[in-house]
Amino acid sequence: MVGEARHRSTGAPQGGYAGLAHDRRFRLLRTRFYRLAAGIVASFLGWYFLYIWLSAFARAFMAQPVIGNINMALLLGVLQFVSTFALAWRYSRYARRMLDPLSEQLREEAAAMDAEREHSERLLAERRRIENWAPPRRAAHRRTGGGAR
């Protein structure tokens, strides 16, 4: 993988998520999220600033009665709350269908890569321990000059 070579050359530790950063599916996940977030933020801010603009510059329109004492300003103000909940519902529905399955797949793959890496590191550590093992040295018995043999 391209990311693995890059991390190895810099000496940075290679984690499961770092290796997936250059994966096509991860880029797709990021693109889907950014498009959705940008669309939702643009919708919310556009609708909000339209309401503010109408309140400031279209007072006659906002003062028009709709039903009884409820005017257009109150109706549009309540619709601000409704639209906020609708956008949140849209985000959660889209995320559940398009983002969550892909992110779960990538998360499981990263966990498997981490487990495999940890397993190979344990094997290498055990191999090094075995290769570097030496039998314990016995203490050399010193004979003193005046003792019995």
Side-chain angles (χ1 to χ4, degrees):
M1 207 178 228
V2 174
E4 291 174 0
R6 181 176 298 158
H7 288 289
R8 284 188 193 130
S9 65
T10 60
Q14 175 69 28
Y17 293 104
L20 292 175
H22 300 285
D23 189 304
R24 175 188 56 81
R25 295 167 299 162
F26 182 76
R27 289 192 309 266
L28 175 65
L29 178 67
R30 231 179 30 201
T31 301
R32 285 179 181 176
F33 171 75
Y34 287 141
R35 282 184 184 163
L36 175 67
I40 286 178
V41 167
S43 299
F44 175 78
L45 289 177
W47 170 231
Y48 176 72
F49 286 124
L50 175 66
Y51 178 77
I52 298 296
W53 186 83
L54 288 172
S55 296
F57 300 109
R59 291 180 177 247
F61 172 74
M62 296 296 267
Q64 288 179 351
V66 178
I67 302 170
N69 291 332
I70 299 175
N71 62 8
M72 188 61 75
L74 184 60
L75 179 64
L76 293 178
V78 170
L79 286 176
Q80 286 287 316
F81 290 102
V82 173
S83 68
T84 300
F85 287 110
L87 289 171
W89 172 79
R90 170 75 175 116
Y91 172 80
S92 65
R93 183 170 170 242
Y94 181 84
R96 200 172 30 252
R97 286 185 308 116
M98 302 298 286
L99 302 178
D100 292 348
L102 188 55
S103 65
E104 184 63 29
Q105 180 185 22
L106 290 169
R107 190 178 300 116
E108 287 173 0
E109 190 173 310
M113 287 170 50
D114 276 346
E116 182 179 329
R117 182 180 47 83
E118 288 173 10
H119 178 69
S120 64
E121 286 175 359
R122 277 194 305 268
L123 288 176
L124 285 173
E126 184 66 18
R127 179 181 291 163
R128 277 189 229 109
R129 187 185 66 78
I130 290 170
E131 289 172 353
N132 293 330
W133 181 83
R137 295 184 183 175
R138 294 186 179 178
H141 295 288
R142 294 185 186 180
R143 298 184 188 218
T144 56
R149 290 188 190 204

